[in-house]
């Protein structure tokens, strides 16, 4: 029986291609819809693509960031188009947005995550850094905070895309909402920090008890 449209295959492995496309790995890059530019990721991708162009097929959702000088660049992808791109990709590179990360995992990907850094004008706060580091420490994403990290992850993906496949979870759509709510707790902690009441970031993943988690 065929799977319902849009539902990931829980036994997903990198898809088989015809002979003409056999040497080309399909890479999806998604920077999300935030209005801050993400030039670092675009620049790193352009540099890497110049060396690996004959090995990959690209889809790059660049949002409000300048269009990279690579094939397959589009500003935005609608929901259905993003689902198709996720399903067809062998590797997914994305920003540290919780929804994008969890959607990639729902489709069976271990996403390569480059979180936006507010010190570079890429976001209003550091919640993507905190969230991505949390998931990186848990082995749920391949965290890349530098050009070298990204190049190493992409090289590993080219060598063995199966290393970036996880068991897809059709129920992850519901879990996504819970996870996003947890990220909201992290953002609350960041707001408190801005007021001089910094909260240890990992405590945002648990319900704080009275008087817990605050430092002068």
């Amino acid at each position: 029986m065929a799977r319902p449209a849009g539902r990931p295959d829980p036994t997903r492995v990198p898809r088989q291609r015809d002979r003409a496309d056999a040497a080309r790995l399909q890479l999806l890059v998604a920077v999300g819809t935030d209005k801050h530019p993400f030039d670092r990721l675009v620049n790193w991708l352009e540099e890497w693509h110049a060396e690996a162009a004959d090995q990959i097929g690209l889809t790059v959702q660049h949002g409000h960031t300048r269009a990279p000088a690579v094939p397959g660049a589009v500003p935005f992808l609608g929901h259905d188009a993003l689902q198709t791109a996720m399903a067809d990709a062998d590797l997914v590179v994305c920003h540290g947005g919780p929804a994008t990360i969890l959607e990639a995992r729902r489709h069976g990907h271990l996403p390569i995550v480059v979180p936006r850094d507010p010190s570079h004008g890429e976001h209003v706060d550091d919640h993507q850094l905190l969230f991505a580091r949390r998931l990186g420490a848990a082995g749920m994403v391949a965290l890349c905070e530098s050009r070298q990290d990204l190049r190493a992850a992409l090289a590993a993906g080219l060598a063995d895309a199966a290393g970036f496949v996880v068991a897809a979870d059709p129920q992850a759509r519901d879990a996504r909402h819970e996870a996003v709510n947890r990220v909201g707790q992290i953002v609350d902690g960041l707001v408190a920090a801005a007021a001089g009441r910094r909260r240890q970031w990992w405590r945002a993943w648990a319900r704080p008890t009275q008087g817990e988690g605050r430092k002068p």
Side-chain angles (χ1 to χ4, degrees):
M1 180 180 296
R3 287 186 293 119
R7 176 167 292 184
D9 182 351
T11 61
R12 178 187 178 279
V13 296
R15 65 184 177 89
Q16 299 298 311
R17 301 186 183 86
D18 59 32
R19 183 175 300 177
D21 198 32
R24 297 177 68 82
L25 179 142
Q26 300 302 304
L27 173 64
L28 170 65
V29 181
V31 309
T33 59
D34 190 275
K35 292 186 177 181
H36 294 79
F38 201 179
D39 291 333
R40 278 192 312 146
L41 179 53
V42 165
N43 292 342
W44 296 347
L45 179 65
E46 286 177 331
E47 292 173 4
W48 175 79
H49 179 264
E51 303 169 14
D54 60 340
Q55 302 177 64
I56 58 169
L58 272 179
T59 300
V60 183
Q61 182 268 309
H62 58 85
H64 295 281
T65 306
R66 68 172 180 83
V70 297
V74 295
F76 299 100
L77 291 170
H79 177 75
D80 290 347
L82 180 61
Q83 300 308 304
T84 298
M86 287 276 189
D88 287 346
D90 295 303
L91 293 177
V92 173
V93 175
C94 65
H95 69 142
T100 307
I101 291 172
L102 294 168
E103 197 69 8
R105 287 189 58 86
R106 189 176 75 85
H107 280 276
H109 297 288
L110 178 74
I112 298 169
V113 174
V114 183
R116 291 173 177 267
D117 186 339
S119 70
H120 294 285
E122 297 163 354
H123 216 305
V124 296
D125 56 41
D126 61 353
H127 80 267
Q128 285 203 5
L129 283 167
L130 302 180
F131 183 65
R133 287 169 181 169
R134 172 75 177 191
L135 295 189
M140 295 180 68
V141 304
L143 176 62
C144 299
E145 295 191 49
S146 69
R147 177 189 288 103
Q148 292 75 17
D149 290 343
L150 180 61
R151 292 177 70 91
L154 289 170
L158 282 175
D160 182 15
F164 292 83
V165 173
V166 299
D169 181 5
Q171 305 304 317
R173 188 182 300 276
D174 294 334
R176 163 181 163 178
H177 296 295
E178 179 182 353
V180 171
N181 287 336
R182 290 179 177 178
V183 174
Q185 295 177 15
I186 293 177
V187 175
D188 288 343
L190 295 168
V191 172
R197 302 189 303 274
R198 183 73 178 181
R199 181 181 297 170
Q200 293 182 21
W201 66 268
W202 59 85
R203 294 184 185 275
W205 285 79
R207 184 181 297 278
T209 58
Q210 185 174 4
E212 176 184 323
R214 297 186 182 274
K215 288 187 177 183

